[in-house]
Amino acid sequence: MEYTEKHVLALKELLYKMADDQLILGHRNSEWTGLGPILEEDIAFSSMAQDKIGQAQALYEILHELGEGEPDTVAFMRNAEQFHCCHLVEIPIGEYDFSLLRHFLFDRAEQIRFDMLAQSSFEPLAQVARKFRGEIKYHVMHADVWVKQLGKGGAESHGRMQDTLNSCFPMALGIFEPGPYEAELIEAGIFPGELALRNKWIEAIRPVIESAGLRLPDQFDDTSAYGGRYGSHTEYLQPLLDEMTEVFRIDPAAEW
Amino acid sequence: MVSTRDTRHLHPEIWDALQEVLDPEIPTLSIVDLGIVTGVSTPAEDAVEVKLTPTFSGCPALKIMEQLVEDRLKQAGWRNVKVYTSFDVAWNSNMISEAGLTALHKHGLAPPPRHDGYIELDVLSDVPCPLCGSRNTTMKTPFGPTLCRSMHYCNHCSNAFESFKPVS
């Protein structure tokens, strides 16, 4: 079908939130570089950071082709209220159990999102989604292994995983905050919508959580972490942006 | 633009030049054997366009490879060279040629196993040691010094080694 103006707005909104999630979580993951609890985890989070920032760049590139600014400008020259990321990705890395569960909950959702988008009617997005699927596979595999190991670990390990899951889960529901154009995305065959994604995500994470000996919280309609998709963020986003863009802002026209 | 497989015979001199462009991180491996050249065309008499596809979207070597292709083709006499990246053909590790697998091995990396699109931990872990050939190896982590490598340990010759990851 021919896209209307509203379909294009819907598409841009979807691309912005995906790209912003990837950029911000990519930045957070990179904060583990040099600090991982073991060398392999240091490298894993650094590699996942690189993947996510690469994916963000590809999405900003599609936005640029749709008439938005240059990828670097869009990534580095906006303030917090112009970002569409969800709250989950903004939170500081905290302890390893938080970063791991955030990685698990977020990447499981991204994997399903990319699967859905591989069939998108918007071919440039379908193409990158097919590429990202191969990459996210490794992230999900990594998260699953550690969630199971630590969930089934000793009493302290198990207890920390369950406590963190309980606090992380409502934040993760913010990923699925419906955007302003859900009906248009569904109608145009661009994306089946956040609600459909959330339902598939719960089905996908439940068996992993249970095989880790953990219990999935059952408040699926908690909206306490909503707002990110509309520019309302946690107190942690602006300081992250200030740090991330500090060098870029000294000379935005510099050649690297 | 026509796909790789259809254009080799049309522009053999261009493909020969591209064959000499090596992966900056794996200097035994040609970008043609790596499978990332997905299109070559000559829109005008002195103009050539080359399309590349990334192995990983965050691969920092891609920009360098674009520049290397441009330099090599200009050196071959093409005045108007355009090199660009497109996701229209998504790279997967089965696109590495037989010569490419040998080149990886020569660089000390275990080549990725051929796959049918289904990659799980057992596929990743079943990698023969590139140093002694033993299959008695353990994957330590699917993430390595570059996005395309995983890290392994050989229980037979007691060496750590890296593998080029299978990607679907």
Side-chain angles (χ1 to χ4, degrees):
Chain A
M1 76 185 274
E2 195 72 8
Y3 292 162
T4 63
E5 234 170 83
K6 219 162 175 201
H7 292 141
V8 176
L9 282 176
L11 178 59
K12 286 186 182 177
E13 153 73 22
L14 175 68
L15 288 164
Y16 265 116
K17 76 176 160 196
M18 288 173 63
D20 290 350
D21 277 352
Q22 304 286 10
L23 178 69
I24 300 305
L25 187 53
H27 186 86
R28 283 295 184 214
N29 282 349
S30 78
E31 293 174 355
W32 280 107
T33 305
L35 298 175
I38 52 171
L39 181 60
E40 285 80 358
E41 284 311 281
D42 189 315
I43 295 169
F45 273 89
S46 306
S47 291
M48 292 189 290
Q50 202 180 334
D51 272 336
K52 293 216 180 307
I53 289 167
Q55 292 168 359
Q57 191 177 11
L59 294 168
Y60 289 132
E61 198 62 60
I62 297 177
L63 278 165
H64 184 45
E65 280 157 25
L66 291 171
E68 299 296 292
E70 293 277 345
D72 278 350
T73 312
V74 169
F76 292 122
M77 297 296 276
R78 285 177 299 156
N79 288 317
E81 65 271 17
Q82 294 167 290
F83 270 76
H84 301 240
C85 51
C86 62
H87 293 180
L88 179 72
V89 300
E90 302 167 6
I91 314 294
I93 55 174
E95 300 278 339
Y96 180 75
D97 49 37
F98 170 72
S99 277
L100 171 65
L101 280 161
R102 165 164 65 186
H103 152 45
F104 169 75
L105 295 171
F106 181 83
D107 286 335
R108 276 280 178 176
E110 283 301 84
Q111 184 177 43
I112 301 166
R113 190 187 291 276
F114 297 157
D115 271 340
M116 289 173 155
L117 289 172
Q119 326 289 330
S120 175
S121 65
F122 185 60
E123 185 54 23
L125 180 54
Q127 284 176 4
V128 297
R130 290 195 279 268
K131 179 73 208 156
F132 297 169
R133 277 201 298 194
E135 298 170 355
I136 195 89
K137 176 113 206 174
Y138 281 98
H139 299 209
V140 166
M141 226 186 269
H142 173 263
D144 284 5
V145 165
W146 281 106
V147 165
K148 287 181 194 170
Q149 287 208 8
L150 296 177
K152 288 189 292 195
E156 187 195 349
S157 176
H158 174 85
R160 283 180 66 156
M161 289 294 281
Q162 185 65 58
D163 287 349
T164 306
L165 178 62
N166 294 346
S167 58
C168 212
F169 186 76
M171 272 188 252
L173 291 170
I175 299 173
F176 314 104
E177 176 181 14
Y181 307 107
E182 295 293 316
E184 285 79 5
L185 289 172
I186 297 167
E187 174 191 74
I190 296 169
F191 177 60
E194 297 298 328
L195 186 64
L197 172 60
R198 190 200 68 180
N199 292 342
K200 282 196 165 203
W201 171 77
I202 291 169
E203 275 173 45
I205 60 171
R206 189 191 296 284
V208 185
I209 294 286
E210 285 173 0
S211 72
L214 300 169
R215 199 184 51 76
L216 194 66
D218 51 13
Q219 297 297 320
F220 300 151
D221 292 315
D222 190 320
T223 60
S224 56
Y226 277 19
R229 305 309 189 193
Y230 295 83
S232 167
H233 295 284
T234 64
E235 63 191 299
Y236 304 112
L237 182 61
Q238 191 59 51
L240 177 151
L241 294 174
D242 293 342
E243 183 186 276
M244 184 176 80
T245 60
E246 191 180 353
V247 176
F248 184 83
R249 283 173 193 261
I250 294 171
D251 182 2
E255 286 279 339
W256 292 84
Chain B
M1 185 163 305
V2 210
S3 81
T4 302
R5 281 142 200 93
D6 306 322
T7 61
R8 284 196 200 211
H9 68 284
L10 294 176
H11 312 291
E13 73 293 351
I14 300 174
W15 283 95
D16 286 348
L18 293 174
Q19 185 68 40
E20 292 169 22
V21 178
L22 303 176
D23 181 324
E25 290 177 331
I26 308 169
T28 53
L29 177 65
S30 153
I31 60 164
V32 174
D33 289 323
L34 178 56
I36 62 165
V37 181
T38 52
V40 169
S41 67
T42 48
E45 202 181 318
D46 63 347
V48 57
E49 285 188 12
V50 176
K51 182 169 63 168
L52 304 179
T53 189
T55 51
F56 281 78
S57 5
C59 177
L62 195 66
K63 284 284 159 210
I64 300 167
M65 292 194 269
E66 285 181 6
Q67 189 61 51
L68 293 173
V69 167
E70 187 181 330
D71 294 349
R72 182 65 190 86
L73 292 176
K74 284 196 167 153
Q75 192 196 337
W78 296 90
R79 285 201 306 177
N80 217 326
V81 180
K82 185 181 164 201
V83 187
Y84 66 102
T85 297
S86 168
F87 286 87
D88 67 346
V89 179
W91 182 87
N92 74 75
S93 56
N94 287 344
M95 287 160 74
I96 303 175
S97 69
E98 288 300 320
L101 297 181
T102 308
L104 287 170
H105 196 270
K106 205 171 155 194
H107 191 62
L109 294 168
R114 297 294 190 199
H115 63 80
D116 55 6
Y118 185 77
I119 294 171
E120 290 299 339
L121 280 173
D122 52 346
V123 177
L124 279 171
S125 310
D126 184 25
V127 177
C129 171
L131 302 164
C132 76
S134 169
R135 294 197 92 90
N136 181 13
T137 64
T138 311
M139 184 182 67
K140 299 308 254 183
T141 164
F143 296 101
T146 69
L147 291 180
C148 50
R149 302 185 197 180
S150 50
M151 298 200 282
H152 304 253
Y153 184 75
C154 177
N155 300 313
H156 184 253
C157 72
S158 306
N159 276 298
F161 67 91
E162 293 166 11
S163 171
F164 200 97
K165 280 184 207 174
V167 173
S168 54

